[in-house]
Amino acid sequence: MAVSPRVFPPRKRWPSTGSSISPKFADLNLVKSLLSLSQEISALKPIQCLLIQKSLSTINKSKLLAIVFEELLRNPVSTSFSPSILLCFEEMYIVFQRIKTLMEDCCSGSKMWLLMRIQPLANSFHELTLELSTLLDIFPVNELDLSQDVEELFVLVRKHCFQSKPSVDPRDDSLRRDVLALLHQIKKEIVPHHLKLKQILDNLGLRDQSSCREEIECLQAEIQNQIDEKSKLDIASLIGLLRYAKCVLFGSSTTQLEPDHRRRNSLSEIAVPADFRCPISLELMRDPVVVASGQTYDRESINQWIESGHNMCPKTGQTLAHTNLVPNRALRNLIAMWCRQQRVPFETVGSIEKVSGVKATKAAFEATKMTVYFLVNKLSVSPSMEAANAVTYELRALAKTDSDSRACIAEAGAIPILVRCLGSGVGSEHPNLQVNAVTTILNLSILEANKTRIMETDGALNGVIDVLRFGATWEAKGNAAATIFSLSGVHTYRKRLGRKTRVIKALMDLAKDGPTNSKRDALVTILNLAGDRETVGRLVEGGVIETVIGVINVLPEEAVTILEAVVKRGGLVAIAEAYNSIKKLGVILREGSDTARESAAASLVTICRKGGLEVVAELAAVPSIERIIWEVMGTGTMRARRKAAVLLRILRRWSAGLDTNDVVDSSVMSVGTLTTMLPA
């Protein structure tokens, strides 16, 4: 599976252990190492646009010293080096390592952040040059049998190092002041002059959409490397400025966007470990947190659950003593490690807020507002569908970034304009525009206040439902389903959506016929709607059990979790409908993931309790069912073990010829007893 290298921005390099510890090489091996290191520095390109003289001077000095080391290797001295020479070589090795690290950091990082740190970085180059000057000054060159030309080169490098000054190029310093002046203007809500913006970006080598986008990604990566809060805030301001400049100077682009808020296309071909999935959304957790019951959820999903008025753990049903969320850093590290191994992007690159918790500065916020109003105004007067698609794409990207952007886009009046792009006519002629529009609404709906705006905007909900039913592409339908999922996070909206037969039928059709990603979007939305008992009845009437049985082999965890929710709240009709799923649940109990086995055991307990002896007999007919249940009791999750214990008791009492009521009552009473029988 190919993944674009841009998904993985270069991490900030820190000096390695070897850059501060003297190498343990002997004589000529040490010279070889110095030669190799000096050649690596010589092969580096000068830093582009900034610190040009400093980096070029450093590279030239390395080239000249490489000639000295080559001479030593061609004509080695007959005896080993003196202790003073070895000591100088070891210290040179450390300085060269630090020079190489500094050069590579400056070349691979953000240009704008490099500009903001121009003075301390110039000082770093100067300090390293002075350290090298000191070593060259005390170096006993007369002890080496160097040719006259090479010895003159050595003296020349020493002289140049000694003449080094800690100055900043006046051009670089002037450019830095210009950027700070623009940020100050934006902070005062003064729109920057476009010509000045263009001049600054030209000087930084940012001359098109692509280079600006890459620079924004570099800045976002820099935030993760910062410890100082002020630095994070400064970078956030630069990102806001650059986003605005990109839109007003280079227009809008329809370049393929990174995967959206809930969609991870790169994960569709990979089996995600069950423990890495959020029990609510069933998606890979990006920010796992532990609630009061001890269960782990993705922060965003559990926040939506709690903000919707729930005070119990979704998985266990236990009332939460408090709503504090504790980061599960150990699990997050494991997920990050797995993602790196699978070449799956782990961080949501676009989200400053989510990744680092950085609050927007005044300058960043005002820059976001300027960008939003520029785009919304441009969308409202777009002369063509192609132009509208390009602007909608930019709004889609911006709506991914943070809450401030989502709030600004909605407040600027974008939702009614986006609704115009959802119709089937637009979808048939411009499917990309329909996808971008519905995905923008999805991203906006992440903000709680925007859920109300969307639900109350004329035509918005109907537009999303129409895309869900008749969308031009599966991506459009899947993102419409994801929007329904997001809106249903509010309890009153969940009930309202659950009453719409069009929504239920469209979700069923998408779950049956769509590709895997779209099926998952539909199933997760169905699961959310199933949180309302009244809606469960409509889901059963709409054929939800038949639907999930049909996809249980493709998405077992999602299907079994829905089945558990439906049979628990759907009454006898749901139990009767679930009769044909018993054998498949037995297979999941044997072969499924821990999460799937847990839901399968819970579903079977509910079906057997309420379905009578005929249902229990159907379960008993599953080959080796008792052995399978014992395996779950020994290796499953704690909840799966409890449910398996109840299930085994039900089967035992059925085989003893007891009637259904006895099975139900005894199974409830025997949970505590059976759990003591669990294998060690």
Side-chain angles (χ1 to χ4, degrees):
M1 178 182 58
V3 179
S4 168
R6 282 180 52 205
V7 175
F8 305 93
R11 296 181 62 83
K12 183 173 181 179
R13 292 169 45 84
W14 296 100
S16 64
T17 306
S19 67
S20 57
I21 300 176
S22 298
K24 300 303 179 183
F25 298 138
D27 298 348
L28 292 181
N29 287 332
L30 182 54
V31 178
K32 290 178 182 178
S33 299
L34 282 168
L35 174 60
S36 175
L37 199 49
S38 60
Q39 288 174 337
E40 288 176 13
I41 296 172
S42 302
L44 295 175
K45 294 182 180 179
I47 303 172
Q48 298 298 308
C49 306
L50 303 169
L51 293 169
I52 297 175
Q53 293 301 321
K54 293 286 184 184
S55 58
L56 187 59
S57 175
T58 301
I59 290 171
N60 289 336
K61 291 182 180 70
S62 297
K63 288 180 179 178
L64 294 177
L65 287 174
I67 296 174
V68 176
F69 300 136
E70 286 177 341
E71 173 84 358
L72 287 174
L73 290 175
R74 277 197 302 269
N75 303 301
V77 292
S78 57
T79 58
S80 59
F81 295 123
S82 67
S84 58
I85 292 178
L86 283 175
L87 181 60
C88 285
F89 279 162
E90 288 173 356
E91 293 299 321
M92 279 186 196
Y93 184 91
I94 295 174
V95 172
F96 279 150
Q97 280 280 18
R98 291 169 61 194
I99 289 173
K100 180 187 173 188
T101 300
L102 179 61
M103 287 281 294
E104 290 179 340
D105 280 348
C106 291
C107 290
S108 64
S110 157
K111 295 177 181 177
M112 291 198 80
W113 186 233
L114 182 67
L115 179 63
M116 293 297 102
R117 299 177 298 139
I118 200 75
Q119 183 64 64
L121 287 173
N123 290 341
S124 295
F125 274 103
H126 176 66
E127 289 167 6
L128 288 171
T129 304
L130 286 184
E131 288 185 33
L132 186 59
S133 173
T134 301
L135 291 171
L136 296 178
D137 192 46
I138 65 173
F139 190 85
V141 67
N142 58 320
E143 295 183 17
L144 301 175
D145 187 19
L146 296 175
S147 65
Q148 183 178 354
D149 290 342
V150 172
E151 189 170 338
E152 287 176 356
L153 280 179
F154 185 91
V155 174
L156 179 64
V157 174
R158 181 169 60 190
K159 179 181 178 182
H160 284 177
C161 288
F162 180 75
Q163 293 174 344
S164 172
K165 296 180 180 179
S167 58
V168 175
D169 188 322
R171 174 183 165 280
D172 292 350
D173 189 56
S174 175
L175 188 58
R176 184 183 69 88
R177 293 176 185 276
D178 287 343
V179 172
L180 292 175
L182 279 185
L183 291 174
H184 186 66
Q185 283 184 0
I186 292 174
K187 189 175 180 180
K188 291 187 172 184
E189 304 180 29
I190 301 172
V191 177
H193 197 284
H194 292 187
L195 290 178
K196 191 64 178 178
L197 276 175
K198 188 175 188 309
Q199 179 186 2
I200 290 174
L201 265 59
D202 280 345
N203 288 334
L204 289 171
L206 307 174
R207 299 185 175 91
D208 53 31
Q209 273 268 353
S210 177
S211 59
C212 281
R213 189 179 297 111
E214 290 179 6
E215 176 66 11
I216 290 172
E217 290 174 359
C218 285
L219 285 169
Q220 289 163 341
E222 281 293 347
I223 283 187
Q224 300 175 50
N225 295 329
Q226 301 302 318
I227 299 175
D228 177 52
E229 194 66 24
K230 183 179 182 305
S231 296
K232 293 182 179 182
L233 295 174
D234 290 342
I235 296 174
S237 298
L238 294 173
I239 291 173
L241 171 63
L242 200 52
R243 280 192 186 128
Y244 175 75
K246 177 174 72 76
C247 289
V248 300
L249 294 180
F250 307 120
S252 303
S253 166
T254 54
T255 304
Q256 182 61 38
L257 196 65
E258 297 267 348
D260 269 299
H261 163 61
R262 291 181 58 254
R263 181 173 301 283
R264 297 291 187 269
N265 289 332
S266 56
L267 289 176
S268 61
E269 304 169 12
I270 303 174
V272 178
D275 291 339
F276 293 173
R277 290 183 182 272
C278 173
I280 297 175
S281 68
L282 302 179
E283 296 283 348
L284 180 71
M285 287 187 280
R286 304 281 161 169
D287 188 9
V289 294
V290 181
V291 298
S293 64
Q295 299 294 324
T296 296
Y297 302 92
D298 197 41
R299 183 184 295 276
E300 185 173 346
S301 297
I302 193 62
N303 268 335
Q304 285 188 359
W305 173 266
I306 293 172
E307 290 169 4
S308 298
H310 298 94
N311 65 344
M312 67 179 79
C313 174
K315 193 170 181 180
T316 65
Q318 175 184 344
T319 301
L320 298 176
H322 56 78
T323 57
N324 297 334
L325 304 178
V326 180
N328 191 337
R329 292 190 175 88
L331 179 58
R332 189 179 190 279
N333 290 338
L334 288 174
I335 294 173
M337 186 184 305
W338 179 83
C339 286
R340 285 195 296 272
Q341 292 170 349
Q342 299 294 330
R343 295 289 293 167
V344 172
F346 177 62
E347 302 291 1
T348 306
V349 180
S351 177
I352 299 173
E353 227 180 23
K354 186 173 180 180
V355 172
S356 63
V358 178
K359 298 295 181 182
T361 62
K362 172 68 172 173
F365 180 71
E366 292 301 331
T368 297
K369 283 178 62 177
M370 291 177 186
T371 306
V372 166
Y373 280 95
F374 174 83
L375 290 172
V376 172
N377 181 64
K378 192 173 181 180
L379 180 61
S380 65
V381 297
S382 292
S384 66
M385 289 296 183
E386 289 78 9
N389 183 42
V391 177
T392 305
Y393 165 84
E394 293 294 343
L395 287 171
R396 169 183 173 175
L398 192 58
K400 285 180 59 179
T401 56
D402 51 53
S403 295
D404 285 335
S405 297
R406 296 178 192 117
C408 287
I409 292 171
E411 289 168 1
I415 296 174
I417 304 175
L418 291 168
V419 170
R420 303 175 199 164
C421 305
L422 299 179
S424 56
V426 173
S428 61
E429 296 184 13
H430 302 277
N432 288 338
L433 175 55
Q434 187 184 63
V435 170
N436 284 330
V438 75
T439 309
T440 304
I441 293 176
L442 164 61
N443 291 338
L444 293 176
S445 72
I446 299 168
L447 185 66
E448 289 299 306
N450 284 348
K451 289 179 170 60
T452 302
R453 288 190 176 101
I454 293 169
M455 295 295 287
E456 293 180 354
T457 298
D458 288 342
L461 180 58
N462 286 333
V464 172
I465 295 173
D466 285 345
V467 175
L468 177 61
R469 298 173 67 196
F470 310 116
T473 65
W474 289 118
E475 183 182 4
K477 290 183 176 183
N479 285 351
T483 306
I484 298 295
F485 168 85
S486 179
L487 295 173
S488 65
V490 178
H491 180 67
T492 54
Y493 298 155
R494 182 187 306 145
K495 295 179 73 70
R496 178 176 165 186
L497 291 164
R499 295 191 187 103
K500 294 184 178 294
T501 306
R502 293 180 301 157
V503 172
I504 291 176
K505 184 180 186 307
L507 289 172
M508 299 294 183
D509 291 342
L510 186 60
K512 290 176 185 175
D513 304 326
T516 302
N517 272 338
S518 299
K519 286 180 187 290
R520 182 176 288 114
D521 283 325
L523 291 177
V524 170
T525 306
I526 290 170
L527 178 60
N528 216 31
L529 294 177
D532 177 65
R533 187 176 294 275
E534 181 183 343
T535 302
V536 170
R538 293 189 178 87
L539 289 171
V540 174
E541 292 174 5
V544 67
I545 293 179
E546 179 186 350
T547 299
V548 297
I549 292 174
V551 300
I552 201 168
N553 294 330
V554 180
L555 297 168
E557 289 188 14
E558 292 85 345
V560 176
T561 306
I562 291 173
L563 197 59
E564 177 190 354
V566 170
V567 298
K568 181 179 179 181
R569 302 184 180 94
L572 293 177
V573 175
I575 300 299
E577 291 286 337
Y579 180 83
N580 294 328
S581 69
I582 291 175
K583 285 186 170 60
K584 290 199 173 186
L585 288 173
V587 174
I588 297 295
L589 207 59
R590 181 179 69 246
E591 301 174 355
S593 65
D594 286 346
T595 302
R597 293 165 78 193
E598 179 181 310
S599 293
S603 300
L604 286 170
V605 167
T606 303
I607 295 170
C608 290
R609 280 178 173 178
K610 299 180 180 179
L613 294 175
E614 185 180 351
V615 171
V616 182
E618 182 75 6
L619 177 63
V622 175
S624 306
I625 187 61
E626 285 204 14
R627 180 181 61 80
I628 294 170
I629 292 173
W630 273 108
E631 287 179 1
V632 176
M633 291 169 65
T635 62
T637 64
M638 186 56 66
R639 181 169 179 256
R641 294 183 183 195
R642 292 198 305 268
K643 295 295 182 180
V646 175
L647 205 54
L648 183 61
R649 183 63 173 172
I650 290 174
L651 286 173
R652 293 270 175 92
R653 293 186 66 82
W654 170 83
S655 64
L658 299 178
D659 60 31
T660 305
N661 290 332
D662 287 339
V663 172
V664 174
D665 293 340
S666 299
S667 68
V668 174
M669 296 175 60
S670 63
V671 178
T673 304
L674 277 171
T675 51
T676 63
M677 300 167 55
L678 296 178

